[in-house]
Amino acid sequence: MHKPNQFDLFASRRFLPLFVTQFFGAFNDNLFKNAFLVLITFYGLSTAGLDAKTLVNAAAGIFILPFFLFSALAGQLAEKYDKARLAQWIKLLEIGIMLLAGLGFYQKNATVLFVCLFLMGVHSTLFGPLKYSVLPQYLKEEELLGGNGLIEAGTFIAILVGQIAGTLIVQHQPHGETLIIYACVGVAVLGFLSSRAMPRAAPPAPDLKINWNILGETWHIIRHVSHNRTVFHSLMGISWFWFFGSVYLTQLPDLSRNVLNGDPGVYTLLITLFSAGVGLGSTLCERLSGRRVELGLVPFGSIGMSVFGTDLYFALNAAPAAAHYDAWGFIADPAHWRVMFDIAAMGAFGGLFIVPLYALVQTRTEKAFVSRAIAANNILNSLFMVVAALMSIALLKAGLTVPGLLLTVALMNIAVALYIYTLIPEFLMRFLVWIGVHTLYRVRCEGLEHIPEEGPCVLVCNHVSFMDALILAGMIRRPIRFVMDHRIFKVPVLNFIFRTAGAIPIAPAREDAALKDRAFDRVAEYLEAGEVVCIFPEGAITRDGEIKTFRPGIEDIVRRTPVPVIPLALRGLWGSFFSRKDGAAMMKLPRRIWSKIGLVAGAPVPAAQADRDLLEQQVRALRGDWR
């Protein structure tokens, strides 16, 4: 039987035309831009008497400047008009820009090409909010992470192929400038044709009045999105990724030529490795997260970006400097393998970092504001990238080497990551949960579709080990508020996770009646707010592997706040390092790592029928004989 996966989306008209349209757009951006940069770096094209290094960094700033200027307008247009029709208008604009660029290539006029570079930035600015905000309209929620991963992978593959094609076509002298004209215009036409196949996407705010005050609307959008703390800091994380990536991508031509002594083919190879890495990391997100928006991948990605970014500095210093290399000669020299691996690994971890953040913004922003939230993201992205370009120019002018600049950004990534995770501990908490659960266990889940996508409910589960709450938190998509024994709540490291997740410590009435009363009050507050609460009705971890009699607390909860109750059963944890088999937990050597365990959910039980005896029977039936 075929198991659904993200690649099934390529067979759907809900996704394929959008993917192809954005692919050709990103491809053409980089086909044109890279052809222009190669002419500057390797063939002496210049303007205003500026040197190649300054022009390359200036080109990066000019391309992303429109994102800062026009993203607010782009977000409004994507909310007001049908997104498929808007995509067609934008693709017609691209054809016009490429015709003008053809004139610039024909005349070898750098000034005209800089104008076209700015206009292609305008084209991408208009398409960006549309591309990401239409995904929640086209896709189901369980398809969203995979769809984002494919879009992100497709974007970087398009960047890769566009840059390779731009380099190879321009190198085909003396006719390179003529060939690139046909290529750019042809790709623009293909993008327009694919946009015509996009399904209609009804505007979420058709009565929206366009605010043409660019600065005023920009401030309004950023202020609005900043009220949602998690979304705003996710946008900051995405923008930091583009700061990080733009520095690396912009310096690769100089790195290839002057540090690694390579020809344009070596530059093409390095950009291939980085882009392919991002594509690989982006597509792995769905597999690693089980088709859920898994925030734990974000810290994992940031750690990898810094580790391999730092190692790249030492690899560059160890690289030979005597010979001049083409691409095949560069690959053949083992001294370069570490450089190639570091660049590919940075890209892969970057994909793991950014895809969950995009999906988080799409799912936690109100539907009528998604396009403008993406516009706010583009505004912040452009600001960060302009700062990256200016910082790079200033540091290089001050005498810092290109490897030194790349090391500086890798170390800055550590500081930025720590700052973000201090502001939003949920990212770090999810990372610890994800690492812990996926390192120790292979979890087979059944019936989790019984847990409602929204609205309050109570989960009841057997209690086998100290890891039970983390396993449930790692496997269930919605945030869960756990009611747990106050002694487990205080376990070091786990306490950070439980506090961040809003867990509720509880004690028996005979031990601390006031704590018990406060716990039930907090449970009622969470349920009235539409959240998910989980309780282990046995009251303690089993000491013999058997399910104990459920206590009446669950009945008190649903009597006070009538909500559905979903029975759950954990399988295969008895005898593990964190269970109490053969004495106290965590006092014996682990039997094995990556054990196979199970999590099964049953059908919801209405509040009126949710007595403890019935729920205990259902949990026993779900667990079966597999303890």
Side-chain angles (χ1 to χ4, degrees):
M1 183 180 294
H2 173 69
K3 186 175 180 180
N5 64 70
Q6 65 204 98
F7 298 104
D8 294 338
L9 293 172
F10 286 127
S12 171
R13 187 168 172 248
R14 294 178 294 121
F15 182 77
L16 182 61
L18 170 67
F19 178 87
V20 173
T21 301
Q22 69 85 29
F23 182 92
F24 280 131
F27 176 85
N28 218 18
D29 279 344
N30 289 277
L31 177 71
F32 164 71
K33 183 169 63 175
N34 211 58
F36 185 25
L37 294 181
V38 169
L39 287 174
I40 291 173
T41 304
F42 294 97
Y43 295 99
L45 185 65
S46 182
T47 186
L50 298 174
D51 62 85
K53 189 178 294 187
T54 301
L55 286 175
V56 166
N57 283 284
I62 288 171
F63 179 75
I64 53 89
L65 182 59
F67 287 90
F68 181 74
L69 296 177
F70 303 119
S71 285
L73 174 62
Q76 293 178 87
L77 293 174
E79 304 284 16
K80 185 175 178 63
Y81 297 107
D82 180 286
K83 294 181 178 64
R85 180 62 60 86
L86 184 60
Q88 294 164 23
W89 296 342
I90 295 169
K91 291 295 135 179
L92 283 173
L93 173 64
E94 181 185 1
I95 293 173
I97 297 169
M98 288 297 96
L99 289 171
L100 179 60
L103 178 64
F105 280 120
Y106 180 75
Q107 297 180 341
K108 297 184 179 179
N109 189 320
T111 302
V112 171
L113 293 175
F114 269 114
V115 170
C116 291
L117 188 65
F118 178 83
L119 292 176
M120 282 303 286
V122 174
H123 154 268
S124 297
T125 299
L126 295 175
F127 194 74
L130 182 159
K131 173 176 68 175
Y132 285 109
S133 65
V134 79
L135 280 175
Q137 290 183 257
Y138 281 168
L139 305 183
K140 302 172 185 175
E141 186 171 348
E142 63 270 20
E143 297 172 329
L144 197 55
L145 187 70
N148 273 285
L150 290 176
I151 288 289
E152 204 61 33
T155 299
F156 274 88
I157 291 172
I159 290 171
L160 159 65
V161 178
Q163 291 179 333
I164 292 174
T167 301
L168 294 178
I169 291 173
V170 168
Q171 280 184 287
H172 195 279
Q173 295 294 329
H175 305 296
E177 290 85 347
T178 302
L179 293 174
I180 200 69
I181 297 170
Y182 294 119
C184 289
V185 175
V187 172
V189 171
L190 290 174
F192 170 71
L193 294 176
S194 64
S195 71
R196 291 178 59 84
M198 289 173 58
R200 289 181 59 84
D207 299 324
L208 178 68
K209 185 177 180 180
I210 300 293
N211 182 1
W212 296 97
N213 182 338
I214 293 174
L215 294 178
E217 184 62 20
T218 297
W219 173 248
H220 166 72
I221 287 175
I222 293 178
R223 186 177 60 180
H224 181 93
V225 79
S226 68
H227 293 157
N228 187 328
R229 189 166 173 264
T230 300
V231 169
F232 180 71
H233 289 300
S234 297
L235 297 181
M236 296 293 284
I238 293 170
S239 298
W240 169 254
F241 170 81
W242 286 106
F243 180 105
F244 182 95
S246 69
V247 171
Y248 275 83
L249 292 175
T250 302
Q251 303 311 317
L252 282 184
D254 188 87
L255 183 75
S256 305
R257 181 182 182 184
N258 298 321
V259 177
L260 295 172
N261 299 300
D263 67 1
V266 173
Y267 167 54
T268 301
L269 171 66
L270 297 184
I271 203 71
T272 298
L273 291 170
F274 187 84
S275 301
V278 174
L280 175 63
S282 298
T283 53
L284 281 176
C285 281
E286 184 186 60
R287 185 173 185 85
L288 291 174
S289 63
R291 307 192 82 188
R292 296 186 304 274
V293 179
E294 178 51 74
L295 301 183
L297 293 177
V298 177
F300 187 50
S302 66
I303 291 170
M305 288 162 63
S306 285
V307 168
F308 291 103
T310 302
D311 189 67
L312 177 63
Y313 172 79
F314 297 102
L316 290 171
N317 285 338
H324 183 75
Y325 296 95
D326 60 12
W328 291 113
F330 188 85
I331 294 171
D333 190 339
H336 295 135
W337 293 354
R338 182 177 168 192
V339 172
M340 293 188 289
F341 179 78
D342 284 339
I343 289 175
M346 272 195 302
F349 279 95
L352 295 177
F353 176 83
I354 196 171
V355 169
L357 291 177
Y358 271 120
L360 181 68
V361 171
Q362 292 162 341
T363 55
R364 296 202 186 178
T365 303
E366 59 268 38
K367 289 181 171 54
F369 202 82
V370 173
S371 294
R372 281 171 285 180
I374 299 298
N377 173 65
N378 289 342
I379 293 167
L380 293 170
N381 287 358
S382 64
L383 180 61
F384 274 58
M385 292 169 74
V386 168
V387 172
L390 294 175
M391 184 196 77
S392 298
I393 292 173
L395 291 179
L396 292 172
K397 288 285 188 184
L400 192 66
T401 64
V402 169
L405 174 62
L406 301 184
L407 176 63
T408 299
V409 175
L411 295 178
M412 287 173 64
N413 185 62
I414 298 173
V416 170
L418 291 175
Y419 178 66
I420 291 175
Y421 307 141
T422 300
L423 292 175
I424 311 179
E426 182 182 3
F427 286 118
L428 186 56
M429 181 271 291
R430 291 298 310 179
F431 171 64
L432 294 175
V433 170
W434 186 83
I435 287 292
V437 171
H438 288 84
T439 299
L440 296 170
Y441 305 110
R442 288 172 290 165
V443 188
R444 179 180 178 182
C445 298
E446 299 176 27
L448 295 189
E449 66 275 6
H450 291 305
I451 301 172
E453 294 291 338
E454 56 186 23
C457 66
V458 176
L459 311 178
V460 294
C461 187
N462 58 320
H463 208 358
V464 190
S465 76
F466 284 95
M467 288 292 291
D468 295 351
L470 299 189
I471 293 168
L472 297 183
M475 295 298 106
I476 295 171
R477 182 181 305 168
R478 293 183 63 185
I480 304 172
R481 309 298 189 180
F482 289 95
V483 182
M484 60 177 56
D485 187 288
H486 66 106
R487 290 163 294 189
I488 297 178
F489 183 84
K490 296 174 183 176
V491 172
V493 180
L494 298 184
N495 174 253
F496 166 77
I497 297 173
F498 296 146
R499 283 188 294 105
T500 304
I504 308 163
I506 193 170
R510 65 179 181 275
E511 185 176 336
D512 192 336
L515 180 59
K516 180 179 179 181
D517 291 340
R518 288 197 302 273
F520 278 99
D521 288 342
R522 287 186 64 191
V523 168
E525 291 173 5
Y526 282 138
L527 292 176
E528 288 167 1
E531 300 197 46
V532 178
V533 172
C534 179
I535 186 170
F536 299 98
E538 297 165 85
I541 296 174
T542 180
R543 293 183 177 275
D544 58 9
E546 297 299 329
I547 296 176
K548 300 300 183 184
T549 302
F550 280 16
R551 296 186 177 183
I554 180 60
E555 295 175 343
D556 295 339
I557 289 172
V558 295
R559 188 182 305 116
R560 180 170 175 177
T561 313
V563 297
V565 181
I566 292 90
L568 304 173
L570 286 164
R571 298 172 170 176
L573 278 165
W574 178 243
S576 70
F577 178 68
F578 297 96
S579 73
R580 284 176 167 159
K581 185 178 182 181
D582 302 324
M586 297 177 283
M587 296 300 292
K588 53 189 178 296
L589 292 175
R591 292 184 303 168
R592 59 185 180 275
I593 295 177
W594 217 35
S595 305
K596 190 179 294 184
I597 64 173
L599 171 62
V600 187
V605 178
Q609 302 172 21
D611 66 80
R612 52 177 168 160
D613 293 331
L614 173 64
L615 294 171
E616 181 184 328
Q617 292 172 13
Q618 294 206 0
V619 172
R620 288 180 181 275
L622 290 171
R623 190 202 63 171
D625 295 328
W626 187 19
R627 292 190 296 175

